[in-house]
Amino acid sequence: MTASTLLLDAVYFALLIALGVPLGRYVARVFAGEARVAQRILGPLERVLYRLSGVRPDEEMGWKRYALSLLAFNLLGLLAVYALERLQGLLPLNPTGMGAVPSPVAFNTAVSFATNTNWQSYGGETTMSHLTQMLALTVQNFVSAATGIALVAALARGFVRKSAETIGNFWVDLTRSTLYVLLPLSLVLAVFLVSQGVVQTFNGSVTVATLDPAAPGAPGVGHQTLALGPVASQLAIKQLGTNGGGFYNVNSAHPFENPTAWSNFLELFAILIIPAALCFTWGALVKHKRLGWVLIGVMAGILIPLVLVASSAEQAGNPALRPMGVDDAASVAQSGGNMEGKEVRFGIGSSALWAAATTAASNGSVNSMHDSYMPLGGMAPLWLMQLGEVVFGGVGSGLYGLLMFAIIAVFLAGLMVGRTPEFLGKKLEAFEMKMAALVVLLPSMAVLIGTAIGSLVPQGTGTVLNPGAHGFSEILYAFSSTSNNNGSAFAGLGVTNVFYSAALGLCMLFGRYWVIVPVLAVAGALARKNLVPATAGTLPSDTPLFALLLAGTVLLVGALTFVPALALGPIVEHLQLHP
Amino acid sequence: MKTILRPALTLLLLFTLLLGVGYPALVTAFAQAIFPRQANGSLVESGGRPVGSELIGQSFVDPAYFWSRPSATSGVPYDGRASTGSNLGPSNPGLHERVAARVAALRAADPDNRVPVPVDLVTASASGLDPHISPAAAYWQVPRVARARGVSEEVVRRLVAGHVQERWAGFLGEPRVNVLELNLALDRIAERVSANAGASAPDPDGRKPPMDTDGHR
């Protein structure tokens, strides 16, 4: 690993925490209705939205009504995306004349964007019209992220309220997350990205005569057609909302989607900033500010070592290429390392950090092709997803996922000393434990059963690109990514057939809603309980000991569940390449 | 049920207008007003006509030009309509064969060059549209380009050095050379030379390297 890579990682994490704290506190003020300046500017718009849609903002909901509202809104969004994809050929803003998206891909994509997974089974610039990118994909990028943030607010109310039947109003949480958090940040980021060269236009493409008239090109020798579109607006929320579905096929590796080192750093920063900030939001909402530091400490403590694993595996390069007379040593004149599937402007350091960050968060955007990573370099992102997307995770979903792990950790500690476990002043009983166990087990089950089926049926193995152990990794990666709502891919695997469209679509649905509903049930059950005062027997949740216990639980569950599968894929391949 | 469906439907509709129409339109308006060049693809002009985008790589086959990295876009390299990487895994024999063939092609175009080939020059980029090569990959090509242009290696080497972009503050980005800009600069030198000497610079019958259009699955 090079000094510049280490410096990049250090600056990145330092800035993340430095800006995460104020943003987190701001989000907490938004939910408390105390973000005065923002409310003065955006309050009128918020009130218009409520009036037109018949929402009474002070009306409280029980957890079941909250869950039903959320599911209804997500289902309608899913149907709208599907309809727009199927009808785009007949609709305006389609300058390159895209036809209807085939129904399996359209279903898969609709699920993918409604669930905040943003798995791309399509090539953006060759499949989606501008209208679909804007009305379907950009809108879901916002509201699926806002759904996740809303849940954090609801769960916090469950912990804070005493003997209460309600956990807030879904419409208000959704609207505030969108208007006060996601929209302003996206506007600023989008305009900055344009300054770096990210395109933003309603034109479809531009054709130029290239410099070398003899070079083969498309549409003909000596010519090149460049796909354009409203990219920056889509890109900003795709990064901030841990969505990850790009405008172009290769996502943020495309120079029009990520042109410079600066755009790369900002996009990379946007991946983790909201998940990082929400740790501090949580601390503020449940009035245990130090807990925010514990949560971010656990997340960074797991992520940073895996960033280093990925960077050093990629910097070490591919031992199979060196004997051919290839120079892959890092020097002042090149980044060296494994450059297959990477861009020169990002090299190893920015690519490996992105790969780890995008899979730690359930973002799934890429600036390099993960399928071409060295076995251990690819295993780091793979395992980060398999940990359940709780290391930063999706906006909101990462935090509530980690809090479910916290419930399990407290329970384990309770078992050790023989006391009823409590967390943040609430007694945790059989019901909460069962729900937390569901949250942890169901996505893992979807990963492993899905991978098993995918590796057995011909529709699953027939579209694998790379032979041997790497091919198995492709299938494992696909099910790990979709079941945990990440969205990145070992993209060699062909996933547009009916088997993968359906199987991965179902995994995305399970991974999202089989987690959301139990989390809301926990919120509802906790809200009903009374606060118990802390005693000498209480395990305090804002100490380094608790951080270790929580990190240990996450790592242990993740290792026990997935090491056998990882041994068959990346570990075998590593041993084959390094005999 | 109606108390749930009505807000669900109307809010979806309103958010679609606000976020799907209003927001992209506002960003487009800002972008076109403040950064029109960038918003429309950062096109580069030469002799009054656009010859490409400074951000999107192009294919070069003439030995008198610096060559870009291998591109995995399907059909032809550097197809700006459909970006893609190769997705070949590190243990895939297909990757090893392709790299070996690229090394052989580069060596055939410059048989006297005994220096190991920089890795980025024989591996496919993530996008298939990478506009850059590493400085190492540019310097590696200097002898061939200088010979094909009939100018001294020193002149070409100085030109490359002038086009190296370094890391910002030692950590942001990687050292790189923009191939299109470097080749445009080469052409400008050739014009100056031919203006001074009255001779035409590039040799039109230069050896053509094999096309690299792999990347079909």
Side-chain angles (χ1 to χ4, degrees):
Chain A
M1 217 172 336
T2 60
S4 62
T5 299
L6 288 174
L7 187 59
L8 172 73
D9 297 347
V11 171
Y12 180 73
F13 282 100
L15 267 179
L16 202 60
I17 290 175
L19 293 179
V21 175
L23 179 62
R25 305 239 161 101
Y26 165 74
V27 177
R29 283 204 301 279
V30 166
F31 285 117
E34 292 164 2
R36 299 227 164 71
V37 179
Q39 275 171 330
R40 206 166 306 143
I41 302 166
L42 291 163
L45 180 58
E46 184 189 356
R47 286 189 288 277
V48 167
L49 290 176
Y50 294 152
R51 202 159 40 240
L52 290 175
S53 50
V55 170
R56 280 183 290 131
D58 47 0
E59 188 185 31
E60 286 280 328
M61 296 178 179
W63 80 264
K64 285 179 189 156
R65 173 117 184 267
Y66 198 103
L68 270 179
S69 307
L70 184 155
L71 292 174
F73 183 73
N74 278 224
L75 178 67
L76 287 175
L78 193 157
L79 294 175
V81 175
Y82 185 83
L84 281 163
E85 287 179 276
R86 298 291 291 155
L87 299 174
Q88 66 178 13
L90 311 172
L91 296 170
L93 257 184
N94 184 7
T96 41
M98 307 281 184
V101 181
S103 56
V105 173
F107 161 76
N108 187 280
T109 306
V111 171
S112 172
F113 277 76
T115 56
N116 196 248
T117 310
N118 313 81
W119 169 263
Q120 267 180 278
S121 66
Y122 57 90
E125 70 270 45
T126 53
T127 315
M128 301 294 176
S129 74
H130 289 355
L131 191 80
T132 310
Q133 296 267 17
M134 289 159 56
L135 289 196
L137 307 188
T138 303
V139 171
Q140 287 302 314
N141 278 351
F142 275 101
V143 296
S144 67
T147 300
I149 302 178
L151 247 76
V152 169
L155 185 58
R157 294 186 194 107
F159 276 100
V160 174
R161 291 182 178 177
K162 286 172 279 190
S163 315
E165 290 298 318
T166 60
I167 55 169
N169 182 316
F170 173 69
W171 309 120
V172 172
D173 292 343
L174 176 79
T175 307
R176 290 200 173 151
S177 306
T178 306
L179 287 189
Y180 292 106
V181 183
L182 297 171
L183 188 56
L185 288 176
S186 299
L187 269 174
V188 173
L189 182 61
V191 174
F192 176 81
L193 288 171
V194 175
S195 80
Q196 294 299 299
V198 176
V199 296
Q200 178 74 23
T201 164
F202 293 124
N203 292 332
S205 62
V206 57
T207 299
V208 295
T210 51
L211 189 58
D212 184 350
V221 175
H223 288 81
Q224 189 181 36
T225 294
L226 310 172
L228 302 173
V231 179
S233 53
Q234 158 93 313
L235 171 60
I237 182 60
K238 154 204 151 195
Q239 296 304 106
L240 284 164
T242 60
N243 297 288
F247 191 92
Y248 294 103
N249 182 43
V250 293
N251 210 283
S252 278
H254 197 294
F256 279 161
E257 197 157 324
N258 191 358
T260 66
W262 277 102
S263 69
N264 188 68
F265 190 81
L266 261 284
E267 289 179 28
L268 189 47
F269 190 73
I271 293 177
L272 288 189
I273 181 63
I274 295 181
L278 286 176
C279 294
F280 301 105
T281 304
W282 181 263
L285 286 176
V286 300
K287 304 192 170 55
H288 278 70
K289 287 213 167 140
R290 282 177 62 190
L291 181 56
W293 289 97
V294 166
L295 293 172
I296 195 131
V298 169
M299 291 178 174
I302 295 175
L303 176 55
I304 291 172
L306 287 167
V307 170
L308 300 181
V309 166
S311 310
S312 44
E314 293 310 300
Q315 191 66 63
N318 190 339
L321 305 188
R322 237 162 282 142
M324 302 172 187
V326 173
D327 173 16
D328 65 357
S331 71
V332 288
Q334 68 168 2
S335 61
N338 172 29
M339 286 300 288
E340 180 73 22
K342 294 193 181 64
E343 301 279 297
V344 166
R345 62 194 180 281
F346 308 139
I348 301 298
S350 299
S351 299
L353 176 58
W354 185 301
T358 194
T359 47
S362 74
N363 187 289
S365 63
V366 296
N367 74 348
S368 57
M369 295 295 117
H370 294 187
D371 210 351
S372 297
Y373 269 44
M374 298 307 295
L376 298 186
M379 190 172 79
L382 182 53
W383 198 48
L384 274 164
M385 296 187 298
Q386 292 169 341
L387 290 178
E389 291 300 359
V390 297
V391 180
F392 291 94
V395 287
S397 61
L399 185 67
Y400 60 69
L402 187 62
L403 290 165
M404 294 299 118
F405 269 101
I407 290 179
I408 292 175
V410 173
F411 176 74
L412 289 176
L415 282 182
M416 288 180 217
V417 294
R419 278 181 53 96
T420 310
E422 35 187 272
F423 183 46
L424 297 172
K426 294 276 181 153
K427 269 202 162 57
L428 300 176
E429 292 163 295
F431 180 74
E432 291 83 38
M433 268 313 298
K434 282 184 200 156
M435 292 299 120
L438 280 181
V439 166
V440 172
L441 289 179
L442 288 174
S444 306
M445 209 175 76
V447 173
L448 292 176
I449 293 177
T451 306
I453 296 173
S455 328
L456 289 174
V457 300
Q459 294 91 329
T461 53
T463 61
V464 163
L465 173 70
N466 287 290
H470 197 94
F472 174 76
S473 301
E474 286 182 354
I475 300 175
L476 179 63
Y477 199 102
F479 283 98
S480 301
S481 173
T482 48
S483 304
N484 290 295
N485 298 136
N486 181 275
S488 68
F490 271 13
L493 184 71
V495 289
T496 52
N497 66 14
V498 174
F499 169 74
Y500 276 119
S501 294
L504 299 174
L506 288 177
C507 284
M508 290 188 261
L509 287 172
F510 295 155
R512 180 76 166 175
Y513 301 110
W514 284 6
V515 170
I516 281 183
V517 174
V519 166
L520 283 172
V522 168
L526 290 177
R528 251 178 244 132
K529 298 185 186 202
N530 241 323
L531 284 169
V532 289
T535 64
T538 305
L539 174 70
S541 61
D542 48 7
T543 60
L545 176 70
F546 183 80
L548 280 178
L549 184 70
L550 178 54
T553 309
V554 172
L555 292 174
L556 201 66
V557 172
L560 287 175
T561 317
F562 291 108
V563 162
L566 292 172
L568 292 174
I571 294 175
V572 166
E573 195 191 7
H574 175 77
L575 295 174
Q576 284 172 332
L577 270 169
H578 301 82
Chain B
M1 213 48 216
K2 192 171 153 253
T3 56
I4 287 176
L5 275 183
R6 177 175 166 213
L9 260 176
T10 28
L11 271 181
L12 181 64
L13 197 72
L14 294 170
F15 278 140
T16 302
L17 287 175
L18 179 70
L19 308 169
V21 181
Y23 159 73
L26 188 62
V27 175
T28 308
F30 272 125
Q32 294 290 342
I34 315 174
F35 306 111
R37 198 180 94 81
Q38 290 95 320
N40 295 306
S42 306
L43 297 185
V44 180
E45 292 200 351
S46 172
R49 66 179 179 103
V51 291
S53 164
E54 78 172 75
L55 300 176
I56 304 287
Q58 296 183 4
S59 182
F60 291 95
V61 294
D62 190 327
Y65 280 124
F66 284 89
W67 295 340
S68 305
R69 297 182 65 191
S71 161
T73 57
S74 88
V76 293
Y78 288 90
D79 184 348
R81 301 171 303 182
S83 56
T84 185
S86 75
N87 287 311
L88 296 173
S91 62
N92 191 331
L95 172 69
H96 307 161
E97 284 160 21
R98 281 174 172 80
V99 172
R102 290 166 187 154
V103 172
L106 283 164
R107 293 225 179 276
D110 191 6
D112 302 332
N113 192 340
R114 303 258 173 256
V115 182
V117 184
V119 63
D120 60 296
L121 208 49
V122 291
T123 47
S125 62
S127 61
L129 304 171
D130 196 339
H132 298 111
I133 53 179
S134 67
Y139 287 124
W140 195 92
Q141 301 185 56
V142 164
R144 185 199 73 226
V145 173
R147 199 161 51 250
R149 298 240 164 199
V151 292
S152 78
E153 287 187 22
E154 189 46 37
V155 169
V156 181
R157 203 178 302 277
R158 268 209 306 276
L159 192 71
V160 172
H163 279 79
V164 170
Q165 296 164 272
E166 293 292 348
R167 287 193 186 95
W168 185 86
F171 71 96
L172 216 50
E174 297 291 324
R176 61 203 178 277
V177 174
N178 186 303
V179 182
L180 178 60
E181 286 177 353
L182 178 61
N183 283 332
L184 281 168
L186 264 179
D187 279 356
R188 282 195 294 272
I189 285 194
E191 278 161 26
R192 269 207 306 278
V193 170
S194 61
N196 290 346
S200 81
D203 166 18
D205 299 322
R207 276 160 303 178
K208 296 273 186 277
M211 276 164 48
D212 194 339
T213 59
D214 55 337
H216 280 297
R217 298 219 173 122

